[in-house]
Amino acid sequence: MDHPTPTVAARASAVPVLPVAPGSGTRRGAGLDEVVLRPGFWHDLQATNARATLRHCLDWMERLGWLASFDRVAGGVPNPDRPGWAFADSEVYKLIEAAAWEHGRTGDRDADALVRTLTGRVARAQDADGYLNTCFGHPGRPDRYTDLEHGHELYCTGHLLQAAVARVRTTGPDDPLVDVARRAADHVCREFGPDGREAVCGHPEIEVGLTELGRALGEPRYTAQARLFVDRRGHGLLTPIPLLGPGYFQDDVPVRDTDAWHGHAVRALYLAAGAVDVAVDTGDTGLLDAIERQWTRTVERRTYLTGGMGSRHQGEDFGDDWELAPDRAYCETCAGVASVMVSWRLYLATGDVRYADLVERTLVNVVATSPRSDGRAFFYTNPLQQRVAGGEAEADEVNPRAEGGVRAPWFEVSCCPTNVARTLASWSAYAVAVDGDTVELLQYAAADVRVRLASGGEVALRVRTGYPVDGEIEIEVVAAPQTPVGLRLRVPAWAAGASLVVDDRVRDVEPGFAEVRRVLRAGERITLRLPVAPRLTWPDERIDAVRGCVAVERGPVVLCLESTDLPGDVDLEAVRLDLAGRLRDVAPGAEVDVVVRRPAASPTGVPPYRAEPPKTTGLPEHRSTVRLLPYHSWAERGPATMRVFLPVAD
């Protein structure tokens, strides 16, 4: 992609360039036009995404015929053997959204051309009444809305609407993609409104798309329809899947009555994001309270250390409370993206710092983990332990499986690459918020920030940091009003011992927010120091699968032990962490002392159970020092075994 300048493209709207713009409340996110990343962790991921991932996704969709499906529909050509799953259209829409954010962030002419080209192909496939889908309603295909459980028609429309939101916010409402989306949304309102079908889609997403498009276009009918979908959920409108039941669709309990997220993780989280949007825009505090309650219990009992969600491969499902086995963790990348969507919306609605904390944990340890360093291969699932090294993924083949311990270039279900692409393209929109006359720095990266305050003035900051490797964040004031303003810096929950330097005076700050409120002077520097030295993290004892184990974190980064860093004759399962040893800071990871204990050999044919407890002493062992690396960078050196939680030596 061609990047002429790090400035935003010209646009007609006064709304900041951002993916979420609540219809009420005092807090908003800073737009892509207000935060420009400089070289560093997130800038580099964004640059790779723009340079490699967008083209990679486009090439695969062309190669597999997913884009050609739109051409066949436009030409009236029967397509009984349409390639891809029913939801393949949604991947095209997510790619358009990613390219729209990229253009809006940088003015990239190639990204703009990609949006226009794909929009043209999509628009020609739209029916006269606004319906748009290549899998249903055309010669050789099933009729419209005949498989709401599995057909994903409204899900695909939701992603189309989100792509249009990106276009509204970056170029203005007078755009062909926006026209397509408006007609599609109007069709949905007619078809599923109060006088239409009493139905919901098996995969939530339309709710988020309708609400945000309603905000962008000032159309309350779309929000009303989204609310109708949220309120219909949980009343048994969908036919249950054998063995999984209606909970798979979140169709067993109404949203307001649910205590924790359950069922298919991505569906549950997309539904929650849409519910927050509806609650905020309609002033429904009861609905907002319900989502906060579900977030709290789910994060306390059903979320992995990485921020990953979804502990069952069957149904891509949330498990029960404390069901968090590291080796069977599903933790789909898309669930990580959806978790960020929910937590960000809750933060904007409440200002509660714990939501921003989870956004960081999930971005660093799930979203950043998925793409390979070249941006052309991805993890679909993100387990916290890999028992068997996966085989090499073929660079030229579709991977039929979601697991395997290696990043693959594409999957039969390739929702994750495009979800990563749109998230990275818009990452800076989650970094800073504005609350009245207060600027809130929430995610740390080297950046230039220039935000508009509610009063009409501007605050300009230059952030210098090597975070997350380095814990020092220096904020230089470039420009500020001649009136008092607030500068609020997030102190993560793990950052006990943090300090703030203001006017050369150092003061300790607790996790939460460190705030400066006064007239800021151009040229002055404020420094936040976060202790990123490695630390031990113990799991709740009710998590049976990791009892007797401990993890190591460094700042916001979860670390892991990869077999690549062990001597060739040492099995990862034989390694035990030596708590009497040292924990050394070796950026960006750590070194730990371990005991390597080779278990006693068992006779062939004997089951792994005994009448006596296993021996813990007298077994062959030796002590060593091993390197831990950031979890987000594992499997970059080829197939390997890996674990986050290490057993503790006796």
Side-chain angles (χ1 to χ4, degrees):
M1 296 290 174
D2 175 27
H3 295 277
T5 60
T7 58
V8 70
R11 58 192 176 85
S13 173
V15 177
V17 180
L18 40 74
V20 183
S24 66
T26 63
R27 181 176 282 102
R28 69 170 180 84
L32 305 184
D33 53 335
E34 296 179 301
V35 180
V36 177
L37 297 184
R38 296 300 179 188
F41 183 81
W42 288 109
H43 168 278
D44 296 349
L45 281 167
Q46 263 195 348
T48 300
N49 186 61
R51 182 181 65 253
T53 302
L54 300 188
R55 174 59 61 179
H56 177 85
C57 292
L58 176 67
D59 289 347
W60 273 100
M61 290 181 201
E62 288 281 24
R63 172 182 172 181
L64 296 176
W66 296 1
L67 288 166
S69 293
F70 289 92
D71 303 332
R72 292 191 181 94
V73 168
V77 178
N79 194 17
D81 299 320
R82 171 190 174 274
W85 289 74
F87 43 82
D89 292 1
S90 70
E91 310 312 335
V92 177
Y93 302 147
K94 283 187 283 184
L95 176 59
I96 295 174
E97 181 185 349
W101 292 131
E102 187 61 33
H103 171 242
R105 186 175 66 83
T106 65
D108 186 319
R109 292 184 291 270
D110 288 347
D112 182 52
L114 177 58
V115 172
R116 294 180 184 278
T117 298
L118 293 181
T119 295
R121 296 174 75 174
V122 166
R124 287 189 288 274
Q126 188 169 31
D127 290 353
D129 66 351
Y131 179 81
L132 178 56
N133 193 277
T134 68
C135 191
F136 293 87
H138 303 290
R141 305 303 308 167
D143 290 339
R144 297 178 180 183
Y145 305 121
T146 52
D147 187 6
L148 284 170
E149 288 80 10
H150 308 288
H152 290 74
E153 286 158 280
L154 292 174
Y155 167 84
C156 289
T157 301
H159 278 301
L160 168 66
L161 304 190
Q162 284 194 287
V165 168
R167 202 61 170 165
V168 172
R169 298 266 166 78
T170 55
T171 64
D174 297 326
D175 183 86
L177 179 63
V178 180
D179 293 339
V180 170
R182 194 193 300 267
R183 294 176 59 216
D186 288 344
H187 163 80
V188 170
C189 290
R190 290 193 304 270
E191 190 76 16
F192 293 91
D195 300 324
R197 299 171 185 254
E198 186 180 2
V200 295
C201 183
H203 199 310
E205 163 64 17
I206 186 65
E207 300 83 358
V208 172
L210 279 169
T211 309
E212 203 61 54
L213 186 65
R215 292 166 171 172
L217 298 180
E219 180 49 80
R221 288 186 301 116
Y222 300 162
T223 302
Q225 183 61 49
R227 179 170 188 160
L228 193 57
F229 281 135
V230 170
D231 286 341
R232 284 176 180 168
R233 184 75 55 168
H235 295 283
L237 296 177
L238 297 164
T239 302
I241 294 179
L243 302 180
L244 295 176
Y248 173 81
F249 299 120
Q250 296 77 46
D251 199 32
D252 54 338
V253 181
V255 173
R256 299 170 192 272
D257 300 331
T258 302
D259 292 324
W261 293 324
H262 64 288
H264 187 284
V266 180
R267 297 172 197 241
L269 291 162
Y270 278 170
L271 177 61
V276 174
D277 285 342
V278 168
V280 168
D281 285 14
T282 62
D284 192 336
T285 57
L287 180 57
L288 184 62
D289 289 346
I291 304 302
E292 288 199 85
R293 179 180 70 245
Q294 294 158 24
W295 186 98
T296 298
R297 179 166 168 181
T298 302
V299 172
E300 287 178 351
R301 303 183 180 197
R302 301 184 179 189
T303 300
Y304 285 90
L305 180 65
T306 56
M309 294 185 181
S311 57
R312 295 180 181 174
H313 287 238
Q314 184 181 34
E316 301 178 305
D317 208 344
F318 280 103
D320 295 328
D321 289 352
W322 315 115
E323 185 184 339
L324 295 167
D327 52 343
R328 295 303 299 159
Y330 199 68
C331 293
E332 184 181 341
T333 297
C334 286
V337 169
S339 171
V340 170
M341 290 169 59
V342 178
S343 293
W344 179 242
R345 285 164 166 79
L346 287 173
Y347 178 76
L348 294 177
T350 68
D352 191 329
V353 71
R354 62 185 179 146
Y355 299 125
D357 278 349
L358 185 62
V359 167
E360 174 178 63
R361 180 171 293 278
T362 309
L363 284 172
V364 171
N365 299 296
V366 178
V367 175
T369 302
S370 179
R372 195 172 62 197
S373 57
D374 66 357
R376 294 185 175 91
F378 310 85
F379 278 139
Y380 190 108
T381 64
N382 295 278
L384 280 71
Q385 182 175 353
Q386 185 71 30
R387 290 185 178 274
V388 179
E392 290 281 6
E394 294 294 331
D396 242 5
E397 295 184 8
V398 172
N399 189 333
R401 296 181 60 80
E403 60 271 3
V406 292
R407 295 173 180 86
W410 206 249
F411 303 94
E412 287 183 357
V413 178
S414 259
C415 48
C416 295
T418 52
N419 235 346
V420 168
R422 68 178 183 142
T423 302
L424 290 177
S426 59
W427 184 91
S428 48
Y430 301 98
V432 178
V434 182
D435 183 14
D437 64 351
T438 298
V439 181
E440 300 173 331
L441 300 188
L442 303 169
Q443 307 301 329
Y444 296 117
D448 289 333
V449 178
R450 182 177 291 272
V451 295
R452 298 175 288 279
L453 304 176
S455 61
E458 286 190 338
V459 172
L461 309 170
R462 169 155 286 193
V463 182
R464 297 181 178 90
T465 183
Y467 193 81
V469 176
D470 181 1
E472 183 163 304
I473 300 105
E474 180 189 87
I475 300 101
E476 178 186 353
V477 178
V478 177
Q482 296 302 307
T483 56
V485 297
L487 181 60
R488 191 174 289 155
L489 310 178
R490 182 179 64 89
V491 181
W494 48 262
S499 62
L500 188 69
V501 183
V502 183
D503 295 332
D504 296 324
R505 291 194 295 270
V506 181
R507 63 182 173 93
D508 295 337
V509 290
E510 299 295 323
F513 280 115
E515 186 166 352
V516 175
R517 177 168 291 279
R518 67 178 193 198
V519 176
L520 298 176
R521 305 182 307 275
E524 72 171 302
R525 288 174 168 80
I526 297 167
T527 302
L528 177 65
R529 292 173 179 160
L530 300 177
V532 296
R535 64 189 186 278
L536 299 179
T537 301
W538 297 88
D540 190 290
E541 63 179 7
R542 288 167 288 189
I543 307 175
D544 299 313
V546 289
R547 190 176 294 125
C549 297
V550 68
V552 181
E553 297 181 88
R554 187 181 185 280
V557 179
V558 173
L559 303 182
C560 68
L561 176 58
E562 193 174 21
S563 59
T564 310
D565 293 312
L566 294 175
D569 61 340
V570 173
D571 192 306
L572 182 59
E573 298 301 316
V575 175
R576 304 288 184 268
L577 186 66
D578 183 3
L579 292 180
R582 291 179 294 168
L583 188 58
R584 303 172 188 85
D585 188 0
V586 183
E591 285 184 347
V592 294
D593 292 334
V594 298
V595 174
V596 178
R597 179 177 297 151
R598 304 180 190 279
S602 298
T604 303
V606 176
Y609 309 102
R610 306 286 187 272
E612 299 177 352
K615 291 183 177 180
T616 58
T617 59
L619 296 176
E621 65 177 41
H622 70 270
R623 298 182 183 276
S624 184
T625 299
V626 299
R627 173 195 177 203
L628 304 182
L629 74 155
Y631 173 77
H632 61 70
S633 64
W634 88 276
E636 286 282 359
R637 298 171 290 176
T641 59
M642 175 276 300
R643 66 188 305 166
V644 167
F645 283 97
L646 302 176
V648 174
D650 301 317

